[in-house]
Structure formats: structure tokens, C-alpha cells
Amino acid sequence: MKDFYLEIKHICKQTGARYGLLHTPHGDVEVPMFMPVGTLATVKSLSPEELKECGSGVILSNTYHLSLRPGADIVDKAGGLHKFMNYDRPILTDSGGFQVFSLADKRKITEEGVTFKNHLNGAKLFFSPEIAIGIQEKLGADIIMSLDECAPYPATYDYMKNSVERTLRWAKRGKDAHKREDQALFGIVQGGEFADLRKYCAEELVKMDFPGYSIGGTSIGEPKNVMFKMIADTTPYLPTEKPRYLMGVGSVDAILYGIEKGVDMFDCVLPTRIARHGALMTSKGRVNIRDQKYAEDFTPLDPECDCYCCKNYTKAYLRHLYKCDEIFGKRLLSIHNIRFLIHMMEEAREAIKNDRFGDFKKEFLAKFNSERGF
């Protein structure tokens, strides 16, 4: 893909963290970056214009959910996701593999694919590597994912070894099926907590020469130290010239750790999901806006934040909206959390360019107070 490539601009001398430009058919974006999640072709409660105001570049949508509602054919007839949801910047779709393995109570995995039940109505469904690619080609995202098995945590070594072998065979089948030249297909590294399986999976995927690589199987219930080990066990075996994407990770400490290990892309539903429950990320750590102590607090949510919410509204007003279950309150809180993470990435990129990312990480976590944060 001549329209898709990673241009590394600087490597931090202090840590090895990377700063660069990811070139895509729908524009260039700086990395490392955080990608808001718009599961059903919308980031819940936010408009595309508000996302852009937050500094959003790539956003993520979900293949499984969109295949059910409204259906890939309808999105295709609309001209693809970009036109359907009126977002003219890059879009990434996942393969649906995580949802298949997390939402389906009963599933049967075979070499051909996975049979499972529709979580909406219980109807029988089947996903194969080829089907997952076909759906994503109709959706038309700039970046798409191979179908993989997101194995549970914990899993035995033998189970994970067999799962990795299947994921590799599925990756090859998906790559062979992929025909659109305006989409970048990523391979997904699995292997659980086993370093040798992570290494093996990464090396075999690299031989297939994907345009980019994802680190899968993280943030599915494992302890934070295990997640960090999974990242460290994977990135050394991925090409330096291609983008690296840590899937489904949105906590501050995990993102900063991933950047330090050379990861370029992050996504998670965390900022919008917790916002809808009144939990906010701020420069001083976690804020629960429902707490009584904010009832007469007429200061901004985070005086160091430049988002629309913090520039215009007080904690007292935000608490009032939340307690009254007003949609506007959830919108404001979601705007803040997304902007908080995107702004953190902007600061991280500056620190990398100035060869001080290690110092920045330490300072940010100390200020954020990660023990009370996310």
C-alpha cells in the first residue's frame, strides 16, 4: 500500500519510544496516538466535529457489531464507514474476534472458523477469516484486522500453543482473501503470558509481511504486571518500520508503558464507558463526579485541561447533570475523558522529540497518582 506507511521521525534517546507520522488514505496522523472507540459507527454521544475538536485522528469501529446492525451491505451501499458516519479522518475496524470470544456464551472453534450465537437474538452465526475480511472490505476502513482467537486468561501452555498455531493459519487465510489495496491489514500477535509463544507468533506473522502488527490478548482480566510482560515479550520481534498497535488498552500507566516499549497505537472504550458512570481522568487522578463534596464546587473539573467541558462548566454543574441523568452531562464527561487521553499523547510525543520520555512518564504518573487513577 503506497498510501499507508509509518514514517519514524524520532526515537527517544532516553527510552527508545518512537515519534512518527502514520500515512493513510484519509490523512496523516501523529503517533503514538490514542484512538477513541466508536463501536457502532459512533463514539457514544459525541459528534465527528467534537471528536476533531478533541484532537482525534483514527477512530475504531467494530466489525462484529456492525455486521449485525445495520449490516455490512448497508454500510457498503452508503459508500463505506467514512460517508456513513460522516468522519473524513482514518478509521480502523477490528475483526470481531474479541467480541466473538467474549460475548458468545457458547461457541465452537474449528479449523474453518468459529460458530457462535448472536448476542442479540440467539441466532446461529459463523465467522471465518475470509468472512471477517469480507465484512471489513465492505465497511471500508483504512486499517483492518485479521481474525484471531482471543484465548481466555489464564490458559494452559498447550491450549495457547494450539491457539497460536490456529491464529497464524487464520492470518494467512485472511491475508490471501484480502483484495482491497486501499486498506492496511494487520496481523495480531497472540501467545498469552508465554514469552516463547509471543516470540514465535510475532516472528511467523512478520514472515507474512503485514503492513502493521497488533498486540492481542491483553486487558482481558490478567494482572497489570502480566500485561506489561506480554507487551515486553512482543515488541522486540516486530519490525521497527511498521506500526505497532496495542489492542484494547486505555489505562494511563499501561499506555505510557506501551509507548516506552515502542508501541504506536492504542484504543479502548474505557474513557467513554467510565465517563457515563461519572468517573473522570484528571491531572490529579480519579474524580467521581457523583460525590457529595462536588455539590458546591464551582471550579473546573480539571484546571489543566483545555477541553470544552473544563473551559465552560463547573464540577457542581457536572454533578447536577449526572445526578439528574441528563444526556448532556454524559456528553461533557465523555468529551473530557477523550480529550484527557489525547492531550496526554500530545505531551508524550513532545517528550519523545525532546529525548525525555522517561522523565515525562515518571512526572505524569506521579502527578496523576496512578494508585487512585486508572
Side-chain angles (χ1 to χ4, degrees), residues 40-183:
L40 287 162
T42 176
V43 177
K44 288 190 186 300
S45 80
L46 271 65
S47 70
E49 292 74 23
E50 287 167 330
L51 288 169
K52 292 176 183 178
E53 188 176 337
C54 288
S56 175
V58 182
I59 62 172
L60 182 146
S61 288
N62 179 259
T63 294
Y64 167 72
H65 288 289
L66 290 173
S67 72
L68 301 181
R69 296 181 297 182
D73 288 337
I74 289 178
V75 176
D76 189 25
K77 289 176 182 177
L81 272 177
H82 293 90
K83 289 186 177 180
F84 188 58
M85 64 187 293
N86 189 34
Y87 192 74
D88 59 4
R89 294 181 181 178
I91 298 174
L92 180 153
T93 48
D94 61 13
S95 68
F98 174 76
Q99 284 69 33
V100 168
F101 294 103
S102 64
L103 293 177
D105 293 330
K106 294 182 180 181
R107 55 188 174 270
K108 181 180 180 181
I109 305 169
T110 66
E111 187 61 29
E112 185 59 27
V114 55
T115 303
F116 58 102
K117 287 186 177 181
N118 180 330
H119 76 287
L120 297 174
N121 59 20
K124 185 178 179 180
L125 295 174
F126 176 74
F127 260 38
S128 69
E130 294 82 4
I131 289 173
I133 293 297
I135 294 171
Q136 291 181 90
E137 287 188 329
K138 289 181 178 180
L139 296 177
D142 303 86
I143 306 169
I144 68 175
M145 297 293 124
S146 304
L147 182 66
D148 62 326
E149 181 188 356
C150 186
Y153 177 86
T156 66
Y157 183 89
D158 287 343
Y159 182 96
M160 190 59 69
K161 185 176 187 302
N162 290 331
S163 175
V164 164
E165 294 285 6
R166 183 185 298 112
T167 286
L168 290 171
R169 292 191 295 270
W170 284 2
K172 175 65 165 58
R173 284 169 52 189
K175 192 170 189 296
D176 290 343
H178 183 229
K179 304 304 179 187
R180 284 190 64 157
E181 295 184 357
D182 59 346
Q183 292 180 313

Side-chain angles (χ1 to χ4, degrees), residues 314-328:
T314 67
K315 296 190 193 76
Y317 182 63
L318 295 171
R319 181 181 184 275
H320 159 69
L321 293 178
Y322 181 82
K323 297 293 285 187
C324 294
D325 198 28
E326 285 289 341
I327 295 173
F328 186 47

Side-chain angles (χ1 to χ4, degrees), residues 270-271 273-297 300-302 314-320 322-323 333 336-337 368 371-374:
L270 176 73
R273 178 173 288 170
I274 64 174
R276 296 193 299 274
H277 294 282
L280 291 310
M281 300 171 168
T282 78
S283 59
K284 303 297 184 182
R286 182 186 184 114
V287 166
N288 290 316
I289 203 64
R290 57 186 177 270
D291 288 355
Q292 175 64 33
K293 64 182 178 181
Y294 299 122
E296 297 184 23
D297 188 333
L301 175 60
D302 188 346
T314 67
K315 296 190 193 76
Y317 182 63
L318 295 171
R319 181 181 184 275
H320 159 69
Y322 181 82
K323 297 293 285 187
L333 300 180
H336 167 76
N337 274 355
F368 180 70
E371 289 184 3
R372 294 192 299 110
F374 301 91

Side-chain angles (χ1 to χ4, degrees), residues 294-311:
Y294 299 122
E296 297 184 23
D297 188 333
F298 304 112
T299 63
L301 175 60
D302 188 346
E304 298 185 22
C305 181
D306 61 0
C307 79
Y308 173 77
C309 173
C310 290
K311 287 191 295 186

